[in-house]
Amino acid sequence: MTSKTAIVTGGTRGIGKAIAVKFAKNGANIVLNALNEELLIKTCKEIEQFGVKCTYFKGDISDMKSSELLIEHARKNFINIDVLVNNAGITRDNLIVRMSEQEWDEVIKVNLKGTFNCTKMVLKLMLKQKKGSIINISSIVGNTGNVGQANYSASKAAIFGFTKSVAKEVARKNVRCNVISPGFIDTDMTKKLSDEIKEKYKKIIPLGRFGMPEEIADACYFLANAEYITGQVLAVDGGTDM
Ligand code: NAD
């Protein structure tokens, strides 16, 4: 990916950070986005140690204007934008009968609308460039469902249909759009689960363990460079969704 540029939303920790590091190690310049400025500065410094340029934009992807400014920031700093990874995501778990309207709205707004916002904005550039790769980070629970995650599962399921529609719309302009569907990955998001729940999940993972963020990053790097793959869902889940 030497001299290519990738935008990674939610890139300061967990899966997003692992993706940014993987791309940077392979020569890509990085534009990081997240909500915490301190972490953005720290992560940028770490990424520049791989000899690439890294800039950051603090902003909420669920806000259309903020997403527009993120892409504008990227365009001002780099000539082309080769890859967008829509990674930022949140959970607000609750059983459906107890789920508040706010818990529903927040998750849909960040996970689904955020993906729409950044995709729409980056496509303005990618369609002009006649090249680009968009990778959306969904989840296997978008396919399987999960107790306490009706909001999260709905947002992640919608990303499958969204990605395939976008892929069909932009393929003729040499722009690709794919999904990675992670299983249970060891990050801050899953650290908040109780040990009991973690053990229960491990029993349903054929490979018997949670995945590592670097294993999602490897798949993301593959898709970013797979010039003849578009509209696909790649599960990286230890076999959970077989
Ligand atoms: P994480 O909570 O560790 O990190 C999320 C990142 O997103 C943080 O950097 C945070 O600042 C950023 N973010 C949150 N809301 C934002 C917003 N509105 N605007 C901009 N940035 C925002 O999460 P993670 O586990 O690394 O997950 C990354 C992605 O992978 C998410 O989309 C998540 O749904 C998905 N995923 C995770 C798992 C898992 O087991 N960890 C499994 C399947 C899918």
Side-chain angles (χ1 to χ4, degrees):
M1 292 185 81
T2 309
S3 303
K4 287 190 174 175
T5 300
I7 302 173
V8 184
T9 69
T12 52
R13 63 181 204 217
I15 293 172
K17 183 174 176 184
I19 292 168
V21 166
K22 173 82 186 182
F23 285 6
K25 277 184 177 169
N26 285 279
N29 297 314
I30 305 292
V31 179
L32 283 183
N33 152 264
L35 297 172
N36 180 322
E37 184 147 25
E38 234 172 88
L39 267 184
L40 279 163
I41 294 170
K42 185 173 163 275
T43 315
C44 255
K45 281 190 188 144
E46 284 175 43
I47 284 177
E48 284 188 329
Q49 283 172 4
F50 299 112
V52 297
K53 196 174 164 196
C54 182
T55 66
Y56 73 87
F57 181 85
K58 175 182 175 254
D60 179 352
I61 51 138
S62 73
D63 178 67
M64 177 61 92
K65 188 68 202 168
S66 178
S67 303
E68 188 175 7
L69 291 173
L70 162 66
I71 305 301
E72 233 175 81
H73 165 91
R75 194 188 49 81
K76 274 187 198 146
N77 282 277
F78 301 101
I79 301 162
N80 285 328
I81 304 301
D82 301 281
V83 182
L84 165 68
V85 184
N86 283 310
N87 164 78
I90 59 167
T91 51
R92 296 285 182 269
D93 296 355
N94 217 339
L95 296 174
I96 187 68
V97 289
R98 293 195 198 135
M99 189 173 285
S100 66
E101 189 179 356
Q102 190 182 345
E103 286 167 337
W104 173 268
D105 286 346
E106 277 178 14
V107 168
I108 299 296
K109 223 177 147 196
V110 175
N111 298 4
L112 181 57
K113 184 164 179 259
T115 299
F116 162 72
N117 289 346
C118 295
T119 301
K120 179 180 162 67
M121 289 303 161
V122 88
L123 276 175
K124 290 184 183 177
L125 299 182
M126 288 182 172
L127 292 175
K128 267 193 212 140
Q129 292 169 185
K130 294 198 171 58
K131 63 172 180 169
S133 169
I134 298 169
I135 300 163
N136 297 324
I137 308 296
S138 177
S139 165
I140 53 159
V141 305
N143 195 31
T144 61
N146 198 20
V147 172
Q149 292 200 309
N151 50 0
Y152 183 77
S153 307
S155 72
K156 294 300 190 181
I159 286 176
F160 299 143
F162 173 79
T163 302
K164 289 177 188 189
S165 301
V166 172
K168 283 185 174 173
E169 282 184 33
V170 300
R172 289 295 162 125
K173 297 280 185 189
N174 195 32
V175 178
R176 299 177 297 108
C177 191
N178 290 290
V179 181
I180 291 177
S181 190
F184 299 102
I185 309 299
D186 193 4
T187 68
D188 288 343
M189 190 177 264
T190 46
K191 274 194 182 80
K192 51 191 176 194
L193 298 173
S194 69
D195 286 346
E196 193 193 340
I197 298 269
K198 279 190 202 161
E199 283 312 308
K200 200 180 111 196
Y201 285 156
K202 274 185 197 160
K203 286 193 184 122
I204 59 163
I205 304 170
L207 285 176
R209 63 171 177 88
F210 277 28
M212 298 307 293
E214 292 73 20
E215 292 172 312
I216 304 300
D218 288 345
C220 202
Y221 182 74
F222 165 73
L223 281 179
N225 292 290
E227 301 288 345
Y228 201 52
I229 298 181
T230 195
Q232 299 304 306
V233 177
L234 177 56
V236 185
D237 63 353
T240 311
D241 196 20
M242 265 193 273

